[in-house]
Amino acid sequence: MKRQGAMPRLAIASLGGTVSMQAGSGLSAVRPELGCNEQLAKVPQLREMASLEVATLGMLASASLGFAALLDVLAWARGEVERGAQAVILTQGTDTLEETAYFLDLLWPFDEPLVMTGAMRAASHPGSDGPANLLAAAQVALAHSSRGRGVLVVMNDLVHRAASVRKAASLALAAFESPGCGPLGHIVEGVVVYRLPPGRKEVLPLPHHIEHRVALLEACLDADTALLQGVAAQGYQGLVVAGFGAGHVSAAWSTVLGQLVPVLPVIVATRTGSGPTASASYDFAGGEIDLQAKGLHMAGRLCPRKCRILLWLLIGTGRQHLLNKWLPW
Ligand code: ASP
């Protein structure tokens, strides 16, 4: 139970990434070395804002995170909220932040915010953005207006929804965008301002199995079908295709995809990075009308990488038949 006037409890954990990286002496290349307490040492204000529960859960480049590790992170975060944390912050590498945030968002059952952040410049580099992002993440996490919004990504003083955020630049400081809809909010003088009220959000149960795999292949000019034909034989239980334009593939790919439909669920998304797939505009072999007639699912606004996460979690809970309901237009 919360004491009157007591500081809010904020749980913070780090997983690695540039925000935890620094250069060794005499070197300029960086690697993960800082645990969570060392990251927090650069933001002393945090200890005046909240009583902190701190954990270092990993020290990895985010390319090496995986679903099993994320389920462990989720268990830790859920435990912190159950023990009274008002919000949770995770710091990690930015390379996979758009995927990990969506993964956790689909499973986050609380009104308490789960806020994720990282850095584009390492801790030992001039102008490192990690401390500013951590402070902004805490301001967002502790704001009452952040409740009921699921998992939020805070980078560069912008707040993004897990379902729409995307790393859109490899090295730029302003690397994160929400294509098509823009950020959900921004931070001005330490206060978060949202453009929209919280929306109701459905959450998936925890997966009961995690050994299955979902493949992601990108359509490209003059691609042969050898990899597509191997998907089922390689033991994948689902497939996402990052299609051309509004969700299209070549006529040859369309034929093979049609053969895969009785074997595994297939989603076709757009590889363009912005905008929805079409549903009733193009009537050619490999166009969305043909693909839907063959039983493929069109991704709507969900990007290919997030489609793969959604499909993996749906298969893990035996809910793949509900796929269309979970694909947002
Ligand atoms: N460049 C990455 C980052 O921004 C490295 C990683 O994702 O771990 O953190």
Side-chain angles (χ1 to χ4, degrees), residues 17-18 21 60-62 92-96 119-120 167:
T18 297
M21 295 193 197
L60 290 173
S62 70
Q92 69 150 81
T94 59
D95 288 351
T96 61
M120 293 301 296
K167 186 174 184 179

Side-chain angles (χ1 to χ4, degrees), residues 57-140:
L57 300 180
M59 196 76 90
L60 290 173
S62 70
S64 296
L65 292 170
F67 296 153
L70 283 179
L71 289 171
D72 289 343
V73 171
L74 178 69
W76 172 85
R78 288 174 69 127
E80 288 303 319
V81 171
E82 279 152 11
R83 284 187 285 279
Q86 182 172 315
V88 178
I89 295 178
L90 294 173
T91 71
Q92 69 150 81
T94 59
D95 288 351
T96 61
L97 188 49
E98 66 196 66
E99 288 166 86
T100 56
Y102 184 59
F103 181 98
L104 294 172
D105 188 53
L106 287 171
L107 300 172
W108 187 246
F110 305 112
D111 279 344
E112 283 81 352
L114 172 51
V115 180
M116 303 183 68
T117 192
M120 293 301 296
R121 290 188 187 141
S124 54
H125 282 180
S128 142
D129 53 329
N133 285 339
L134 247 176
L135 179 59
Q139 288 159 341
V140 169

Side-chain angles (χ1 to χ4, degrees), residues 17-255:
T18 297
V19 68
S20 73
M21 295 193 197
Q22 61 182 7
S25 61
L27 302 170
S28 59
V30 297
R31 55 170 60 159
E33 281 180 354
L34 304 180
C36 200
N37 269 315
E38 291 157 299
Q39 291 175 40
L40 295 179
K42 308 231 169 102
V43 201
Q45 305 88 317
L46 288 189
R47 297 201 183 267
E48 288 155 28
M49 294 163 66
S51 129
L52 305 183
E53 203 60 49
V54 180
T56 300
L57 300 180
M59 196 76 90
L60 290 173
S62 70
S64 296
L65 292 170
F67 296 153
L70 283 179
L71 289 171
D72 289 343
V73 171
L74 178 69
W76 172 85
R78 288 174 69 127
E80 288 303 319
V81 171
E82 279 152 11
R83 284 187 285 279
Q86 182 172 315
V88 178
I89 295 178
L90 294 173
T91 71
Q92 69 150 81
T94 59
D95 288 351
T96 61
L97 188 49
E98 66 196 66
E99 288 166 86
T100 56
Y102 184 59
F103 181 98
L104 294 172
D105 188 53
L106 287 171
L107 300 172
W108 187 246
F110 305 112
D111 279 344
E112 283 81 352
L114 172 51
V115 180
M116 303 183 68
T117 192
M120 293 301 296
R121 290 188 187 141
S124 54
H125 282 180
S128 142
D129 53 329
N133 285 339
L134 247 176
L135 179 59
Q139 288 159 341
V140 169
L142 294 172
H144 190 264
S145 55
S146 298
R147 289 179 62 82
R149 294 180 185 273
V151 175
L152 299 167
V153 171
V154 173
M155 289 292 291
N156 204 27
D157 280 346
L158 297 174
V159 187
H160 299 271
R161 272 190 211 89
S164 50
V165 68
R166 174 183 177 133
K167 186 174 184 179
S170 57
L171 291 165
L173 199 56
F176 283 80
E177 290 175 1
S178 291
C181 57
L184 185 60
H186 53 279
I187 297 135
V188 188
E189 297 181 322
V191 176
V192 57
V193 180
Y194 287 106
R195 290 193 302 112
L196 296 168
R200 286 176 78 82
K201 173 175 128 13
E202 227 181 308
V203 172
L204 283 169
L206 291 172
H208 22 262
H209 56 92
I210 63 167
E211 317 72 34
H212 56 289
R213 292 173 298 133
V214 175
L216 167 55
L217 293 175
E218 181 163 306
C220 45
L221 190 63
D222 203 26
D224 63 55
T225 58
L227 288 175
L228 266 191
Q229 277 167 335
V231 164
Q234 289 298 322
Y236 289 97
Q237 288 179 30
L239 170 65
V240 177
V241 173
F244 301 109
H248 302 154
V249 296
S250 66
W253 272 43
S254 169
T255 303

